[in-house]
Amino acid sequence: ALADRYRIERELGQGGMATVYLAADLKHHRQVAIKILRPELAAVIGADRFLAEIRTTAALQHPHILPLFDSGEAAGQLFYVMPLIEGESLRDRLLREKQLPIGDAVRIASEVAGALDYAHRHGVIHRDIKPENILLHDGRALVADFGIALAASKAGPTRMTETGMSLGTPHYMSPEQALGEREITGRSDVYALGCVTYEMLVGEPPFTGPTAQAIIAKVMTSEPAAPSAQRKSVPPAVDEAVLTALAKLPADRFASAAEFAAALVGGAVTHGRTGPIRSLRLPARLPAFTIVAVALIALLAGGVTTAFFLRSHQSPRAASRILLQLPAAQALRATMYPGIAVPPDGSGLVYTGQGLNNRTQFLFRHWDRMQAQPLNQNGDEGYALTFSPSGDTVAYLSPPRRLNVLPLTGGLPKALSDSGLNSVTDWTGGLDWGADGQLYASGRDGLLRIDPRNGTRALVARLDSARGDLIFLWPQLLPGAKAAIVTVVRRESPSDPERASIGIADLGTGRVEVVVQGVRAIYSPTGHLIVAKPNGVLWAIPFDIRSLRTSGVAKELADTVVVRRGNAAPGVVDMAIDRAGTLVYISGGESTYEVVYVDHSGAWHPVVKDLRGPTMNGIGLSPDGRRLAVSLAGEDHNLHLWVQPVDSGPRIRLTFEGSVNMRPRWRPRTNTLSFVADRGVSGLTGLHLFERDAGGQGDIRPIAIGDSRGIGGQAWSPDGAWLVFRTDDQAAGNGDIMAIRPGIDSVPRSLVATPAEELAPAISPDGRWLAYSSNESGRREVYVRPFPNTADSRFQVSTSGGMSPLWSPDGHELYYVDAADNMTAVPLGGGTSFQTGPPRILFSTADYSISPYQAQFDLTHDGQRFVMI
């Protein structure tokens, strides 16, 4: 029955609910595992209930949940298709090793807990957590079979008993599940995971017996022995965490799987490089830091408010915190790049703020002055600034790959030749000026050492392809100039902060050794690595400069650092430290984005309840206004396309491959979405255009545009005949606007192609005009040209900066975001010529996601409401 899609090769095994087969996916040329439900179970559940529950759980996207490829009914049998995991189950490993190392047991339990916590927050309870359902792939735990137990439970316990099957496995069944209670909560899964953790530590589940009835009797009446009673090396906190998870009453257990994971990791003993440290509960005897923190409180719609905190040490073992207010005109401007630095002498703070013409510029606030001063009045937009050892010169990066050196004693910045740097736009890079007088930067092949006098370079640490390295970010040279700290980004899910790790690059051997999991780390003169974890928690880890290894117990600092969204980078963290131990960082919570309606007065409300995520990049309302296409990141931080009915119907996922699928656009008069994606390549290197049916039918197809350059965005003419696209902006003249008629033309037409950067094309509703933004005047402004004969004339629409143009549905207004982040409306006159009236400000976009590269917002059909992130 499945022969047209899968070639069944052999049986892999049988379980209590299904038989598993190895198969070849003929369409995608990959091996998969197909599970066929046992006929008696399929009869009890029923096809409709099974497929309904599978649809619910298929939406779960988490790095530690085994994804679902396909499901259905064929020849009267129910099946579902999953990836074929190259590895083993936790049961296989337990059969081989009996007991696991404590660090491995805690890590596996924490990863499973993360998957369960995510599922519970989405209303899904697993109900059958056991070693057989935990797969180990490349060292990571994957939880399988979400939804099957739930579908079976809805058939009713009586009908299940008639088949001779039960829900759950006695060794891992919670008391309430053993009693057959209908209302099972996430705390039942916590109990089951407690049993699995107990078995990993001790070698057997907490309760055993000759029959299922005997086991359940012990579950209901007996108390488990502490794991340490049978294995003395189990830390007391791990003992306590496991026993709390195994409490008889659900109310006495952890309230969530995340709490269980935090308690487990808090009790794990970590020495050297035995494993990641997540949330240690240790006495707060902190190293002697002076700490300067910049607080960012992120709103749901994506905006931020800022405040500064100054901490200065009063004694060798204490830190104080003092609020520092900055004038509104000199407030911190958070970007997708690192934006904080401190001079070696600790005399002040450099941060990114608003400069001339609303450009992002470095501001230097000396501690003995009331106002911050621009480092350079005429400087380009810059990021990742670093001071020379003497403090009289700075170096910084600017897009796309330029390295600049600026003397603070006066003069213009000197741009060094392209030194093999990574794209600043994509990766933010990172830069450090070492005590040896050399610059250290993120290069395409690894870590670069660059001479600031002449730009000559040398590769001093190479990417490890066998480990799966993609890039090294945010280098810092260690004392002695023999090694450097880097953030190691892997090719698999490069945007996922959970996959990032901290490495030490030995400049003598050129090798990078991973020492701890984290998003970014810097070295403190107190002898610690200050490590930012994906959840924003800061840790101080003792570090031995001579052996280049961690050397003691980590301690949690009192505050959290904000992990901001980058383009492809796995979270951007602002922190720096001077020679005296003054630590500067931006603190705050993690941002959550949601899609909202905003009227012309600025009042807003959500479009759809729970349409939220840690990252969004592009939305588009369908031509009939009934569906919303959105590029939304899941727990793995990869961006995928979804289609959400605005009436709160079920959400459809359209993409499953690549780490970036974004900036969707509906093709008029079709049910097709076009988008840019990195399918087949890593990160943001070489985005190209693709299209797919918005209902998920058929394959994803590349769009032939006759241009080999990377693509940054696109727009359609109202009749759907013309596709207007923007090429990547990674070099002068490459941010060009082109057009092609798919299916008719083989070579695209150049619409606007100058040495300036042209972005965000948009075609008017009558198809006669092209709006776009350009920095040809030195800052971004909005322009309009006739379409498609763009060479005939050119009109400048904005006068105070402008980007992201969007036409009203009736063509009577043109909207854009001005340099002060205001949504601005310009009335348009009728007739054959292009005429504009005076602009008017509608509302501030400070709380919304705005991008110069392509409009991140849309309009409803009546033009009365914006759809924004």
Side-chain angles (χ1 to χ4, degrees), residues 401 417-422 442-446 448 450 457:
R401 294 182 174 89
S417 59
D418 183 355
S419 301
L421 298 177
N422 271 299
S442 172
R444 290 187 282 269
D445 299 316
L448 296 178
I450 303 170
R457 63 174 179 173

Side-chain angles (χ1 to χ4, degrees), residues 609-620:
K609 184 180 179 182
D610 294 332
L611 183 55
R612 298 175 178 174
T615 305
M616 292 185 183
N617 198 322
I619 54 177

Side-chain angles (χ1 to χ4, degrees), residues 93-396:
R93 184 172 176 185
L94 286 171
L95 289 173
R96 188 177 67 252
E97 299 182 22
K98 188 69 172 177
Q99 295 169 311
L100 303 190
I102 293 173
D104 286 2
V106 169
R107 176 184 56 79
I108 291 171
S110 299
E111 292 175 349
V112 173
L116 292 175
D117 182 66
Y118 169 82
H120 295 166
R121 286 186 281 112
H122 288 76
V124 178
I125 313 299
H126 190 288
R127 297 169 182 258
D128 196 19
I129 291 295
K130 56 187 177 182
E132 289 79 359
N133 282 337
I134 299 171
L135 307 181
L136 304 177
H137 173 61
D138 194 24
R140 300 167 60 207
L142 293 170
V143 182
D145 281 359
F146 269 100
I148 306 305
L150 178 59
S153 71
K154 292 189 175 181
T158 301
R159 297 191 64 197
M160 289 298 299
T161 302
E162 292 170 357
T163 68
M165 292 179 287
S166 61
L167 297 180
T169 304
H171 295 95
Y172 314 99
M173 192 181 294
S174 67
E176 63 270 25
Q177 196 171 356
L179 286 173
E181 293 184 10
R182 297 289 294 174
E183 294 300 323
I184 298 297
T185 70
R187 298 189 192 213
S188 181
D189 283 349
V190 170
Y191 180 94
L193 181 55
C195 295
V196 172
T197 308
Y198 191 103
E199 185 172 1
M200 288 192 288
L201 295 169
V202 172
E204 62 181 17
F207 302 111
T208 59
T211 65
Q213 290 81 2
I215 295 170
I216 291 177
K218 291 183 180 180
V219 168
M220 303 303 300
T221 61
S222 301
E223 293 296 332
S228 61
Q230 302 181 61
R231 186 176 180 182
K232 296 185 182 301
S233 58
V234 175
V238 174
D239 247 4
E240 182 180 352
V242 172
L243 293 177
T244 301
L246 294 177
K248 302 296 183 191
L249 293 176
D252 291 338
R253 297 174 206 147
F254 295 103
S256 68
E259 286 188 11
F260 180 32
L264 273 176
V265 180
V269 177
T270 56
H271 298 289
R273 291 163 291 147
T274 57
I277 305 164
R278 294 183 182 272
S279 183
L280 296 183
R281 300 293 191 267
L282 295 174
R285 300 295 294 174
L286 301 180
F289 296 144
T290 298
I291 305 176
V292 179
V294 185
L296 285 181
I297 303 170
L299 305 180
L300 282 180
V304 297
T305 60
T306 63
F308 284 68
F309 295 85
L310 169 65
R311 307 177 182 184
S312 55
H313 58 270
Q314 304 294 329
S315 70
R317 307 191 71 86
S320 62
R321 299 161 176 82
I322 303 170
L323 179 66
L324 172 67
Q325 292 282 7
L326 288 179
Q330 297 185 338
L332 174 86
R333 174 176 284 183
T335 69
M336 292 186 295
Y337 311 91
I340 279 183
V342 290
D345 62 5
S347 59
L349 168 69
V350 175
Y351 62 96
T352 50
Q354 179 175 323
L356 292 176
N357 296 326
N358 201 43
R359 298 173 70 83
T360 299
Q361 188 170 359
F362 290 114
L363 300 177
F364 195 167
R365 168 67 188 274
H366 292 268
W367 296 135
D368 59 353
R369 301 178 187 176
M370 297 299 294
Q371 300 290 323
Q373 301 296 322
L375 279 183
N376 179 32
Q377 291 286 356
N378 300 314
D380 293 325
E381 293 188 41
Y383 312 98
L385 180 139
T386 182
F387 281 86
S388 66
S390 62
D392 60 359
T393 308
V394 295
Y396 59 92

Side-chain angles (χ1 to χ4, degrees), residues 507-553:
L507 305 186
T509 65
R511 295 175 60 85
V512 174
E513 186 170 5
V514 171
V515 295
V516 69
Q517 188 257 358
V519 179
R520 189 184 176 193
I522 57 177
Y523 179 76
S524 164
T526 57
H528 296 79
L529 292 182
I530 308 302
V531 179
K533 294 292 188 173
N535 61 1
V537 176
L538 283 177
W539 292 87
I541 305 177
F543 185 79
D544 185 354
I545 286 292
R546 291 168 296 181
S547 65
L548 301 180
R549 298 188 177 188
T550 54
S551 58
V553 177

